Each structure stands twice: as C-alpha cells, then as structure tokens.
Amino acid sequence: EFGLIGLGIFLFLIWRYVQLHRFAIRIFPPSDDAYAVVIGIHASLLGVFVAGFFDTPVLHFTRSASSFAVACLLGVLCSLVNQANSSPISDEVEIRRRKRRFWQIVVVGLIVLLPVVVYLLWLIGDGIKRAQEALPQVQHLAKHYPKNTPFVRLKDISEDMVYAVVASEDGFFFSHRGVDWLALHRALRKNLRAMSFIQGGSTITMQVARYVFLSRERTFSRKIAEVILALKMERYLSKERILELYLNTARFGMGQDGILAAARNYFEKHPKDLTLSEAAFLAGVLPEPPFDRRKVTQEFVWRCQRRALGRLRAFFPHKYPLEVLERAQKTPLRFKWGQVITPSECVRKQTGFC
C-alpha cells in the first residue's frame, strides 16, 4: 500500500510463504486428513495476496476483516505444520553453517545494492542542488510580481474558477504544506502496478515549482527538487500567491498558458467574468489540454466538466450544493469560435450527481 516499502514487505512475505508452502506439502502426504485443509489455506492466501497487489489493498489497517482472515489462515497453517513436525535440535555445526550462510547472503545483498544506493544518493544530491539554485527566485516572488508578462491577480479571477482549479487539481491545497505525501504514495503504487508513469501525485505547489522554477522533464532528480522546493515555497509564499502563480502559468491547451489567455481564447472573456460552467470546463481541461479546437467535442466538454464538478461536490459541498452543480452542467457553453455545446438530456444520470 505504501509504495516501495510495501512492495518490499509484500515480496518478503511471498518468499517466506513459499518456504512454508514447500515445507508443509513435504510433511503432509496426500493421504493425510489435514492435506485438504492445507491446500485450501494455500489457495485462500494466494488469492488474497494476488488481489491485494493487483486490485485493492486487502492487507490494510482499514480492512480489518480481510486482515483478520489472513492472520487466522496463517495461524492455522503454522499450527498444523508445528503439530505435524517436531522441531529438530540442531547441533553446533549446523548452527555455525546457518550463521555463515546468513552473513554470506547479507554481504552479497550489500554488494548488489551498493551501486543502486550510490545512484539514488547522487540523484538526491542533484535534486537538492537544483532546489537551492531556484530558491532566490522564490524569495524574489514573495515580494514582487513577474514583470513583462500578462499577470492576473487572484482578486481579478472568478471565485468559481479558483475553487474549480483547487478541487480539480489539489483538493487538500489549503491544508497541506506543499506536499501531499499520501497522494505521492498512491501515485507510486499505481505506477508500480501499471509498470509505467500514469500518475504524478503533484500538488498545486509542486506544479508551480515545476512550471516556474524548474523544467518539465520527467526525471527522478527533478521530482526530488520539486518536492524540496515545494516545501520551501510554503515558507516564503502565501497560499494566495501560489494560486496566482499557478493560474498564470498552467497549460489550458491550444497553445495558451495562463488563465488570461485561456479565458480569452475559449470564451472571449476576462477571467473575472467566467461562470461556473466555464470555470469547470477550464479546470477539467488541465489534465488533458487539447491541441486545437477540433478536440473540443461534446463528449470532451462533458468529461472535463464532470471531472471538475464532481470534485467540487466532494471537497466543497456546502459552497456548491447538488442543484448548483446540475444547473452548471446543463448550461450551454458558447465558445469564441461560434461553437455552442449543449449537454444531452441524460447528463444528469451520467454525471453521478443523482
């Protein structure tokens, strides 16, 4: 459940279980009455392990029933093995042999892991260096606004736009201190299961660190620098300033960076005049910005709005009740290039707001 540590524990558990399985099958002949019980326990444990790794976190502190079942199965299996096989008394020669084998495994493991550890330390050092180099720029923006760029103050941006972006991109933005560690854990777990980079787990602060002060490359070194710089930014910049920087640098698609260019390019409006329906669309665009207007179809608009409005309901239910969100979902969107998209009659059932 918790990233690489959980993966290591899972693999160690599987290794120890395989040892127990081989020992149990060896001492329980098929003619024994306990043989069927042992085979059933093996099948149940393997099913739980596979489901927990590939589908849902079965072995988890919030899943008391499944965790208790696994503990009982392992306890019964160990009890059966213990009753069927009396523990042999090892002599001093056997004990010394086992100690020697143990230390041989430890030494080989350290030799194999040493290059990996050195490489990780180099990456961490490089990330720290990049974060320190960008720190003066953070301190400068704490007191000054960027010059020679179209920068929109937070007070000049629609409140619906601000809340939609926060809900869509980082629902816990006002409570964390730059890094959402649980989100990083979830992203790491999903990436490990998919064996590819499908989720980053970045907060709004981390995205500002990447867009404004670092590069957009996807490397481990940049990720470390992003985390360190995000923690530093929360010390020097207010939440409002971080939101301003994000809204003025985020990519909204069609070659437009920043909320001012996006509001004008999509709706020919100033950011302060955006409605909830328009704000939900722009916030929903951020994970998949379109390259040109041909991608702005009815299905694309509905998907973007559904994502943002659904998260608004989850994070700000008192400010955005169900009827307000449904009304925004049903409001036609009139784009600058003359296209008008009206949601279908079945939108209410599809959005999950019912």
Side-chain angles (χ1 to χ4, degrees), residues 282-302:
L282 290 177
V285 155
L286 291 171
E288 48 175 337
F291 293 103
D292 54 49
R293 66 180 64 176
R294 289 175 296 180
K295 190 179 178 182
V296 185
T297 61
Q298 182 174 4
E299 191 275 335
F300 176 77
V301 171
W302 170 79

Side-chain angles (χ1 to χ4, degrees), residues 303-352:
R303 186 170 66 248
C304 292
Q305 285 188 324
R306 179 190 181 189
R307 180 189 299 120
L309 294 175
R311 292 181 66 86
L312 275 172
R313 186 190 178 193
F315 289 103
F316 305 107
H318 299 294
K319 186 173 181 61
Y320 293 97
L322 180 60
E323 57 272 14
V324 173
L325 298 177
E326 287 182 340
R327 187 163 56 250
Q329 180 75 74
K330 296 177 181 179
T331 303
L333 283 182
R334 302 180 183 276
F335 291 94
K336 170 185 175 181
W337 51 87
Q339 184 180 12
V340 179
I341 293 183
T342 304
S344 61
E345 295 297 329
C346 61
V347 159
R348 186 176 184 273
K349 295 182 179 180
Q350 293 174 324
T351 55

Side-chain angles (χ1 to χ4, degrees), residues 46-313:
L46 285 176
V48 171
F49 292 155
V50 171
F53 186 70
F54 290 103
D55 186 18
T56 57
V58 177
L59 298 176
H60 193 253
F61 62 91
T62 61
R63 308 289 177 89
S64 55
S66 59
S67 300
F68 180 73
V70 169
C72 289
L73 289 171
L74 284 174
V76 172
L77 182 58
C78 292
S79 178
L80 288 172
V81 171
N82 187 51
Q83 291 178 8
N85 185 74
S86 58
S87 300
I89 301 176
S90 302
D91 55 14
E92 293 184 2
V93 176
E94 178 66 16
I95 292 175
R96 284 198 297 269
R97 187 189 68 81
R98 292 186 179 184
K99 287 183 177 179
R100 185 168 58 252
R101 183 183 177 187
F102 170 76
W103 286 112
Q104 287 174 349
I105 294 175
V106 171
V107 171
V108 172
L110 290 176
I111 293 175
V112 171
L113 291 177
L114 184 60
V116 178
V117 173
V118 172
Y119 179 65
L120 288 177
L121 290 176
W122 179 81
L123 289 176
I124 293 173
D126 185 58
I128 294 174
K129 178 183 177 182
R130 295 173 67 176
Q132 291 296 332
E133 291 175 349
L135 187 57
Q137 302 179 51
V138 175
Q139 295 172 334
H140 175 77
L141 286 179
K143 298 179 179 180
H144 305 88
Y145 285 95
K147 295 181 178 180
N148 303 323
T149 56
F151 193 89
V152 184
R153 303 287 184 91
L154 195 65
K155 63 180 181 180
D156 296 326
I157 300 175
S158 165
E159 188 181 52
D160 291 332
M161 185 70 225
V162 175
Y163 276 98
V165 166
V166 170
S168 180
E169 292 295 300
D170 185 6
F172 299 101
F173 173 72
F174 293 106
S175 59
H176 64 65
R177 296 184 178 181
V179 179
D180 188 344
W181 299 107
L182 289 179
L184 286 178
H185 288 152
R186 287 193 300 270
L188 180 57
R189 186 179 73 248
K190 290 184 178 181
N191 293 337
L192 286 173
R193 288 176 176 173
M195 298 303 294
S196 63
F197 188 87
I198 60 175
Q199 187 172 337
S202 297
T203 62
I204 285 179
T205 310
M206 293 170 65
Q207 292 184 61
V208 171
R210 177 167 69 248
Y211 294 153
V212 181
F213 306 109
L214 301 172
S215 63
R216 298 176 187 250
E217 59 181 343
R218 290 187 174 185
T219 62
F220 189 67
S221 174
R222 195 269 298 156
K223 196 69 176 181
I224 293 175
E226 184 180 311
V227 170
I228 296 173
L229 197 58
L231 295 173
K232 295 285 187 181
M233 288 171 59
E234 292 281 341
R235 292 176 53 189
Y236 294 100
L237 303 177
S238 64
K239 291 286 187 180
E240 290 74 18
R241 180 60 64 89
I242 293 172
L243 270 177
E244 283 181 342
L245 291 172
Y246 179 75
L247 286 166
N248 281 276
T249 55
R251 289 183 171 179
F252 291 91
M254 297 176 62
Q256 304 299 324
D257 290 355
I259 186 61
L260 180 62
R264 289 176 175 173
N265 189 57
Y266 284 103
F267 304 111
E268 195 63 41
K269 286 186 175 183
H270 190 272
K272 194 171 186 177
D273 302 323
L274 292 172
T275 64
L276 177 58
S277 180
E278 295 164 344
F281 167 74
L282 290 177
V285 155
L286 291 171
E288 48 175 337
F291 293 103
D292 54 49
R293 66 180 64 176
R294 289 175 296 180
K295 190 179 178 182
V296 185
T297 61
Q298 182 174 4
E299 191 275 335
F300 176 77
V301 171
W302 170 79
R303 186 170 66 248
C304 292
Q305 285 188 324
R306 179 190 181 189
R307 180 189 299 120
L309 294 175
R311 292 181 66 86
L312 275 172
R313 186 190 178 193

Side-chain angles (χ1 to χ4, degrees), residues 27-48:
I27 66 175
F28 286 106
S31 59
D32 197 313
D33 293 337
Y35 182 77
V37 178
V38 172
I39 293 299
I41 293 175
H42 286 322
S44 301
L45 287 172
L46 285 176
V48 171

